[in-house]
Amino acid sequence: MTKYPTLKNIGILVTGTGFAQAVAMVAMVFTARMFTPEIFGQFAVFGSLTTIAITIASMRMDMAIMLPEDDDSARRIARIATVSNIVVALLFAVAAVVGRNLIISVYGSENLASWMPIGALTIFFVAQVTVLQYWFNRRTDYKTISLNRMQQQVASSGGQLAFGALGVRTLPGLILGTMAGQALAFVNLRLRSKDLVQPISDDTPSAKALLSEYKKMPLLNMPTALVDAIRLNGIVLLIGSVALGAVGQFNLAWRLLQVPIGLINSAISQVFFQKLARVKPGGMTRLVRFTMMRSLLISLVPFGLLYLLAPWLFTVLFGHQWDLAGDIARALTPWLMMQLVTSPISTVFVVTGKQQWSLMFAVVFCASPLALLQFSTMDLLPTIRWLGILMAAMLATNLVLADFAARSFDREGPEVQEPTEEETDA
């Protein structure tokens, strides 16, 4: 850890978040027995719609906090992102009220339609926590980020369990329990980020100038992120329009598998974003290729075991009402393995200024699974098997594009340089 600072930073994030995710997995064993697949299906639709809004809430200017050399410019960017978060949250609340009848007609749930406007709070809390985390990432304060994630997950899981134990085993129990953790995460980070709200010097570029300088974030990176959000959450929304119980099974499988994967992906991608943002032309390709290979080797054994054990594991942990979720988890394994491999280098398109490549790929990556689900004549499980294979193949293509982006970036330098030991230690 002392010799390799990058590995140390990843370890800090993984350790704290790992404890939190372990708590989430244990809590899921009980909540799955308290709430029915139909209730989880309603919650999945709620979460998918709010997640799409969260993706565009800050116009992706939150990522730009990492890029300026001076802190005052980063502070101004954070304020731009905060105003945008507030506006998007308010617009979501209005849209949820206006679209109440549409939600009922598509998903057949008045309860879901009634609780959808409160999603505005979820959007603000989660989007603003992301802004604050990028500020702490900029300052390489990974301990604060790790502790905050632990507190958020523990509070959210505990909130859901508390509502379930009190007999509130309907959609409000899941929503309010989760929101308790989101609110706690926001308040804690806000109290710890007093240096973010310090006065900004007069010679700092204006908000308009910074928006112009980092215009690729809202113009290219935001559409890319939006397309990605529509892809993943569109899968949930399409399955939910057929049967809320079926999407509840899918969502449980996805949530459980995302616990360890999300832990690793988030930690590595955050640390590598900071590192990639500092790499000079000539050192990018070697770092990216090294990271790809290391991630692939790390993922083979655990995902092989997951493929073999998933159907048995889900019925043992959650009961026979969730037997379909185990088969879905097995079908998703190839996709999730490639997701782990691509995560560390996911920000290479931002760092190299190739967001347009990422946007073009994201459009195809979004349209393909949604088209498969929309037009498939197979039953749900065979369709999801083909979905897992399709998405894994497309993520392999994304690795090739990332390699091209890194090589293009390196050609801009005066000479090819070998990366330092610190640049490859993870």
Side-chain angles (χ1 to χ4, degrees), residues 316-327:
V316 169
L317 290 177
F318 307 117
H320 291 288
Q321 65 173 335
W322 296 100
D323 57 342
L324 179 59
D327 293 325

Side-chain angles (χ1 to χ4, degrees), residues 94 97 424:
V94 173
V97 173
T424 59

Side-chain angles (χ1 to χ4, degrees), residues 36-177:
T36 66
E38 288 74 19
I39 297 300
F40 269 107
Q42 294 175 14
F43 184 60
V45 172
F46 176 90
S48 293
L49 291 174
T50 54
T51 297
I52 291 172
I54 290 166
T55 302
I56 63 172
S58 65
M59 302 185 295
R60 304 306 283 178
M61 290 299 291
D62 50 0
M63 296 184 72
I65 293 171
M66 298 287 296
L67 302 179
E69 292 293 333
D70 63 290
D71 284 346
D72 277 347
S73 292
R75 289 186 179 95
R76 181 151 284 162
I77 291 172
R79 295 179 187 185
I80 295 170
T82 298
V83 172
S84 181
N85 290 339
I86 295 171
V87 172
V88 171
L90 292 175
L91 290 175
F92 181 90
V94 173
V97 173
V98 174
R100 171 183 168 83
N101 291 335
L102 177 62
I103 295 172
I104 294 173
S105 65
V106 174
Y107 297 105
S109 173
E110 291 190 9
N111 200 30
L112 174 62
S114 298
W115 280 90
M116 191 59 68
I118 204 174
L121 291 176
T122 289
I123 292 165
F124 174 76
F125 288 142
V126 175
Q128 201 59 23
V129 164
T130 303
V131 170
L132 294 170
Q133 284 184 347
Y134 274 116
W135 174 256
F136 285 105
N137 192 1
R138 176 184 174 85
R139 307 186 78 78
T140 64
D141 187 355
Y142 297 110
K143 289 183 179 180
T144 295
I145 297 174
S146 180
L147 178 62
N148 185 257
R149 288 178 178 170
M150 179 177 66
Q151 293 168 335
Q152 177 177 346
Q153 190 62 68
V154 170
S156 292
S157 297
Q160 290 182 350
L161 283 173
F163 278 105
L166 292 172
V168 187
R169 300 185 177 184
T170 55
L171 180 61
L174 292 176
I175 291 177
L176 296 177

Side-chain angles (χ1 to χ4, degrees), residues 138-366:
R138 176 184 174 85
R139 307 186 78 78
T140 64
D141 187 355
Y142 297 110
K143 289 183 179 180
T144 295
I145 297 174
S146 180
L147 178 62
N148 185 257
R149 288 178 178 170
M150 179 177 66
Q151 293 168 335
Q152 177 177 346
Q153 190 62 68
V154 170
S156 292
S157 297
Q160 290 182 350
L161 283 173
F163 278 105
L166 292 172
V168 187
R169 300 185 177 184
T170 55
L171 180 61
L174 292 176
I175 291 177
L176 296 177
T178 303
M179 196 174 294
Q182 295 164 348
L184 177 65
F186 166 68
V187 172
N188 282 339
L189 278 188
R190 179 62 184 80
L191 293 175
R192 289 174 176 267
S193 58
K194 294 179 180 179
D195 55 343
L196 177 59
V197 295
Q198 289 179 356
I200 299 175
S201 63
D202 294 336
D203 59 346
T204 303
S206 65
K208 183 178 179 181
L210 290 170
L211 280 169
S212 177
E213 181 177 356
Y214 299 107
K215 61 185 177 183
K216 284 189 176 182
M217 292 299 182
L219 295 180
L220 291 175
N221 208 48
M222 185 178 73
T224 301
L226 177 60
V227 170
D228 282 341
I230 292 174
R231 167 184 50 80
L232 181 56
N233 294 283
I235 293 172
V236 172
L237 296 174
L238 281 175
I239 297 174
S241 66
V242 176
L244 286 173
V247 79
Q249 297 272 358
F250 176 89
N251 192 54
L252 181 73
W254 184 262
R255 285 175 61 205
L256 184 66
L257 296 178
Q258 283 296 310
V259 167
I261 294 170
L263 155 68
I264 299 170
N265 282 355
S266 180
I268 294 179
S269 62
Q270 275 204 310
V271 173
F272 263 87
F273 186 24
Q274 195 273 345
K275 181 159 289 292
L276 288 170
R278 300 293 179 259
V279 171
K280 303 298 182 183
M284 180 73 74
T285 302
R286 178 75 181 274
L287 176 60
V288 167
R289 290 179 179 178
F290 182 89
T291 305
M292 288 179 185
M293 184 58 64
R294 179 65 63 87
S295 299
L296 181 61
L297 293 175
I298 288 173
S299 64
L300 289 176
V301 172
F303 281 98
L305 292 174
L306 177 63
Y307 185 86
L308 294 174
L309 300 177
W312 168 81
L313 184 64
F314 272 75
T315 53
V316 169
L317 290 177
F318 307 117
H320 291 288
Q321 65 173 335
W322 296 100
D323 57 342
L324 179 59
D327 293 325
I328 291 174
R330 169 180 281 179
L332 294 173
T333 300
W335 176 8
L336 294 168
M337 186 184 80
M338 289 305 299
Q339 183 178 312
L340 179 63
V341 175
T342 57
S343 176
I345 48 86
S346 60
T347 56
V348 70
F349 299 103
V350 175
V351 175
T352 60
K354 301 296 183 184
Q355 290 99 321
Q356 64 271 25
W357 293 15
S358 183
L359 175 58
M360 289 185 289
F361 174 80
V363 171
V364 179
F365 196 47
C366 174

